[in-house]
């Protein structure tokens, strides 16, 4: 590369060819084989380089107004007009940051980056395009355990996973809009603002705790009675009614969406972490190495799933009744059942999948998409789901501690290695007799908070478990050995709203540089409440 020895204004650039004597040859990062002939002073070189880049920028902009004099210090972050954006794009295309590392900060604040950030910070959602799944819908629904679709992540599967996560967000929003449960409302399904208008809600679902709190708690805080109510709205059943969407997906889909923990009694059920038998039916137990392994699940999860309320049936009864009704209504059509949940909802989704798998002789293909789900049962319960052909895709954040409880803190990888060494019989005995011998179910899609360029690598526990953070990471995931997807579509508005303290300061300061003065006002007026988890 040639280094300019004297400063020339932009309009004298055509005289460069006549002043070759003033040029100095030096080694270039673009041509490392070329040895430097003249020792250059660093401070003078940097100053001259910045001035000439400024003049070159003004020449490309072809503007005569508001230019800095050649002897002044140019600012590389002042342009905001369309013409300047085009010129800056040309400069960035030269990849000058590799030559002058001090320009990296200027590149981070370039209009191209700021325009993209402004789009991501906008309140309106932008989605990746929905492709026609057609004859491959069974593959995306887990018929082959999602082999070859997770690492790297298939773009169609990414879009479907994010869509199912938004069904859960609709459940959170609907519950927080009206958390109290009355006898009158249980007769009709609630209105849910679905993210996908091609679906229609057909049934409201309620979960009931088997334990209660003293009456004096309601007397102390009457406005928070919903926190101590035994039966709470926890999700819904929806069915696709749009012919074009049915054609795109290759079948009519039935979605069951379940929110996470929100009330005091639900938290109380969560900590009842002893394993109890799933049912009293001995014929469903499996014998391995001479031992009868009985399927067991967490006591609290099973209680919320099986307990009837005063005015509502149990979650198990409601979901089976509604799915049977829809199967009869759309008999003869190609159907699928998709169960999705976050946190507590992810745990209940496995119990729903198990219940539906045996509710009728010809049940449609069942798939569970869980986000941040805890362990639910023992290894025999996992084997039971596999034998009943319930496909499970667990989306797991490596920093999310909820995915490692309850049970002993032993990773699935270590457990697998121990069983391969011949200790399987001993481990089966422990699984059948220990009250905390939990095991995960299904196929895992592992994401990582540290892969996001927007979130702090030391984000707190709440951020690592937050559903919006999960969707943000899935939307940017390419592969386990690849950086964050540069063309990620998902808006950062909700992530900033819910996890602003966990977003890198660089991007919060960029938001201020974009003069988004109304961002805080929009956030404060938002009707979408954050996940209680």
């Amino acid at each position: 590369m040639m280094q300019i020895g004297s400063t020339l204004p932009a309009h004298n650039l055509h005289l460069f060819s006549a002043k070759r004597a003033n040029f100095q040859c030096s080694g270039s990062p673009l041509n490392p084989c070329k040895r430097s002939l003249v020792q250059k002073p660093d401070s003078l070189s940097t100053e001259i380089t910045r001035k000439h880049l400024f003049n070159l920028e003004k020449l490309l902009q072809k503007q005569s107004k508001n230019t800095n004099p050649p002897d002044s210090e140019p600012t590389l972050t002042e342009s905001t007009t369309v013409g300047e954006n085009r010129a800056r794009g040309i400069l960035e295309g030269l990849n000058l940051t590799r030559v002058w590392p001090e320009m990296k900060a200027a590149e981070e604040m370039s209009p191209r980056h700021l325009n993209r950030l402004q789009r991501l910070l906008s309140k309106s959602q932008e989605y990746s395009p929905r492709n026609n799944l057609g004859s491959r819908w069974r593959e995306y629904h887990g018929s082959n355990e999602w082999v070859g679709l997770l690492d790297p992540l298939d773009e169609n599967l990414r879009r479907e996973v994010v869509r199912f996560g938004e069904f859960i967000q609709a459940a959170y929003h609907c519950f927080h809009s009206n958390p109290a449960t009355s006898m009158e409302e249980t007769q009709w399904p609630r209105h849910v603002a679905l993210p996908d208008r091609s679906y229609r809600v057909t049934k409201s679902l309620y979960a009931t705790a088997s334990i209660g709190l003293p009456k004096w708690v309601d007397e102390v805080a009457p406005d928070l009675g919903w926190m101590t109510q035994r039966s709470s709205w926890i999700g819904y059943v929806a069915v696709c009614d749009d012919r074009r969407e049915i054609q795109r997906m290759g079948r009519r889909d039935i979605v069951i969406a379940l929110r996470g923990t929100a009330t005091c009694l639900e938290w109380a059920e969560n900590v009842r972490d002893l394993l109890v038998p799933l049912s009293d039916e001995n014929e469903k137990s499996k014998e391995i190495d001479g031992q009868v392994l009985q399927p067991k699940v967490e006591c609290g999860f099973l209680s919320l799933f099986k307990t009837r309320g005063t005015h509502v049936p149990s979650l198990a009864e409601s979901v089976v009744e509604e799915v049977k009704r829809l199967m009869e209504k759309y008999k003869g059509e190609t159907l699928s059942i998709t169960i999705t949940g976050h946190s507590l909802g992810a745990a209940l989704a496995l119990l729903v999948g198990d219940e539906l798998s045996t509710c009728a002789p010809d049940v449609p293909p069942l798939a569970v998409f869980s986000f941040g789900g805890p362990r639910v049962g023992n290894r025999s319960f996992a084997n039971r789901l596999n034998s009943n052909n319930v496909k499970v895709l667990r989306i797991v954040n490596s920093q999310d501690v909820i995915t490692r409880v309850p049970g002993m803190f032993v990773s699935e990888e270590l457990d697998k290695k121990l069983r391969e060494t011949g200790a399987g019989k001993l481990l089966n005995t422990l699984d059948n007799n220990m009250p905390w011998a939990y095991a995960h179910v299904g196929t895992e899609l592992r994401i990582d908070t540290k892969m996001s360029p927007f979130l702090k690598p030391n984000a707190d526990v709440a951020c690592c478990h937050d559903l919006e953070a999960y969707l943000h990471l899935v939307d940017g995931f390419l592969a386990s050995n690849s950086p964050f997807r540069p063309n990620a579509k998902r808006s950062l508005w909700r992530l900033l709203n819910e996890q602003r303290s966990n977003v890198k300061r660089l991007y919060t300061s960029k938001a201020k540089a974009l003069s988004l003065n109304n961002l805080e006002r929009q956030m404060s007026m938002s009707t979408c409440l954050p996940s209680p988890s």
Side-chain angles (χ1 to χ4, degrees):
M1 177 178 287
M2 306 302 292
Q3 182 176 350
I4 303 173
S6 60
T7 304
L8 295 177
H11 59 273
N12 289 332
L13 289 177
H14 65 281
L15 300 177
F16 279 4
S17 59
K19 297 190 177 183
R20 302 180 70 178
N22 291 334
F23 281 51
Q24 296 177 349
C25 293
S26 62
S28 169
L30 302 178
N31 188 8
C33 297
K34 189 117 178 165
R35 292 189 302 174
S36 175
L37 301 178
V38 180
Q39 186 70 23
K40 57 181 181 180
D42 294 338
S43 59
L44 179 61
S45 172
T46 302
E47 181 181 358
I48 293 176
T49 299
R50 295 182 66 184
K51 289 182 178 180
H52 281 84
L53 285 175
F54 168 72
N55 291 331
L56 179 59
E57 177 188 14
K58 293 303 177 183
L59 177 65
L60 293 171
Q61 293 168 7
K62 295 182 179 179
Q63 293 185 352
S64 58
K65 296 181 180 181
N66 299 327
T67 57
N68 294 331
D71 56 350
S72 64
E73 190 72 11
T75 303
L76 297 178
T77 60
E78 294 178 351
S79 58
T80 56
T81 63
V82 176
E84 291 177 342
N85 285 344
R86 186 181 300 110
R88 186 63 52 85
I90 298 176
L91 287 177
E92 290 175 349
L94 297 176
N95 201 10
L96 296 176
T97 57
R98 295 181 59 186
V99 184
W100 294 286
E102 63 270 14
M103 290 181 60
K104 274 192 174 182
E107 181 185 8
E108 290 292 332
M109 292 298 292
S110 69
R112 182 184 66 177
H113 287 74
L114 292 178
N115 288 340
R116 177 175 179 269
L117 182 65
Q118 187 171 19
R119 175 180 60 80
L120 291 176
L121 287 172
S122 64
K123 187 174 180 180
S124 60
Q125 294 281 6
E126 182 178 350
Y127 298 100
S128 299
R130 292 188 186 180
N131 297 324
N132 194 322
L133 303 184
S135 59
R136 296 187 63 192
W137 75 265
R138 295 182 184 272
E139 183 181 356
Y140 289 112
H141 206 246
S143 62
N144 195 29
E145 310 293 344
W146 295 279
V147 174
L149 299 177
L150 299 178
D151 197 3
L153 183 59
D154 183 89
E155 61 177 8
N156 292 326
L157 181 59
R158 177 194 295 113
R159 180 66 189 90
E160 294 299 295
V161 169
V162 171
R163 184 167 67 100
F164 294 136
E166 289 173 343
F167 278 111
I168 309 171
Q169 286 185 328
Y172 273 121
H173 180 246
C174 181
F175 173 76
H176 286 291
S177 299
N178 182 20
T181 300
S182 61
M183 181 179 64
E184 293 78 12
E185 76 159 41
T186 58
Q187 308 300 321
W188 307 97
R190 281 191 182 189
H191 171 72
V192 183
L194 294 179
D196 193 330
R197 295 183 180 180
S198 60
Y199 283 76
R200 174 178 56 87
V201 175
T202 63
K203 183 78 172 181
S204 287
L205 302 175
Y206 297 85
T208 302
S210 60
I211 56 179
L213 294 180
K215 293 183 178 180
W216 62 264
V217 176
D218 291 335
E219 297 175 357
V220 173
D223 294 336
L224 295 180
W226 62 270
M227 287 291 291
T228 60
Q229 64 189 6
R230 290 186 56 195
S231 297
S232 297
W233 190 93
I234 199 166
Y236 59 90
V237 180
V239 62
C240 184
D241 265 355
D242 185 85
R243 286 294 175 186
R244 295 180 61 184
E245 183 66 5
I246 293 173
Q247 184 178 7
R248 183 193 73 84
M249 294 190 299
R251 84 281 188 191
R252 185 188 294 272
D253 189 36
I254 300 171
V255 167
I256 302 169
L258 303 168
R259 62 164 176 81
T261 309
T263 70
C264 291
L265 294 182
E266 289 171 359
W267 281 112
E269 292 284 18
N270 286 346
V271 299
R272 299 174 63 194
D273 58 349
L274 294 180
L275 286 168
V276 296
L278 180 62
S279 63
D280 296 329
E281 302 175 19
N282 294 327
E283 66 272 16
K284 293 186 178 180
S285 301
K286 189 174 183 180
E287 184 174 340
I288 298 179
D289 295 332
Q291 301 183 56
V292 178
L293 303 182
Q294 189 176 19
K296 297 180 180 179
V297 296
E298 200 222 40
C299 176
F301 297 155
L302 186 63
S303 173
L304 288 169
F305 184 62
K306 291 286 190 179
T307 305
R308 290 180 57 88
T310 306
H311 307 293
V312 293
S314 67
L315 176 59
E317 294 171 339
S318 296
V319 73
V320 168
E321 177 186 357
E322 182 62 15
V323 168
K324 284 185 175 180
R325 186 186 71 83
L326 294 175
M327 288 173 56
E328 182 64 27
K329 180 178 180 180
Y330 301 110
K331 190 174 182 179
E333 295 188 30
T334 303
L335 299 176
S336 68
I337 300 176
T338 304
I339 313 164
T340 182
H342 171 247
S343 192
L344 170 63
L348 295 176
L350 293 180
L351 297 178
V352 170
D354 174 73
E355 191 76 13
L356 292 178
S357 65
T358 57
C359 72
D362 297 321
V363 180
L366 280 163
V368 176
F369 292 82
S370 70
F371 297 82
R375 297 187 179 105
V376 178
N378 62 357
R379 187 166 301 277
S380 182
F381 173 68
N383 294 334
R384 171 187 168 110
L385 286 176
N386 292 332
S387 62
N388 290 339
N389 206 29
V390 179
K391 306 301 181 181
V392 180
L393 179 61
R394 295 183 299 107
I395 297 91
V396 176
N397 186 353
S398 297
Q399 281 72 47
D400 187 0
V401 297
I402 302 300
T403 61
R404 299 194 288 271
V405 295
M408 296 179 296
F409 288 87
V410 178
S411 66
E412 276 65 32
E413 292 79 7
L414 177 59
D415 182 82
K416 183 178 179 180
K417 290 180 180 179
L418 291 175
R419 292 179 186 276
E420 291 175 352
T421 59
K425 187 173 182 178
L426 174 62
L427 292 175
N428 288 334
T429 302
L430 295 176
D431 289 345
N432 203 33
N433 295 284
M434 291 188 64
W436 294 286
Y438 284 84
H440 269 306
V441 183
T443 305
E444 180 181 275
L445 171 60
R446 183 165 290 272
I447 53 181
D448 197 319
T449 303
K450 297 178 181 179
M451 295 183 69
S452 170
F454 303 101
L455 292 174
K456 295 178 181 178
N458 60 341
D460 57 33
V461 176
C463 177
C464 294
H465 187 60
D466 184 72
L467 178 57
E468 179 59 33
Y470 263 88
L471 300 185
H472 165 71
L473 294 173
V474 171
D475 186 56
F477 182 81
L478 283 175
S480 57
N481 58 349
S482 299
F484 203 78
R485 187 164 68 110
N487 59 339
K489 300 288 186 180
R490 189 164 186 82
S491 171
L492 294 176
W493 178 84
R494 186 177 292 177
L495 188 66
L496 268 174
N497 188 21
E498 300 183 15
Q499 302 296 334
R500 191 176 187 87
S501 62
N502 292 294
V503 177
K504 292 181 180 178
R505 183 173 298 179
L506 171 65
Y507 297 101
T508 56
S509 62
K510 276 187 177 184
K512 294 179 181 179
L514 289 169
S515 301
L516 298 179
N517 297 325
N518 61 339
L519 185 61
E520 293 289 344
R521 180 176 60 84
Q522 290 178 349
M523 289 181 179
S524 62
M525 296 174 61
S526 171
T527 58
C528 183
L529 299 180
S531 164
S533 302

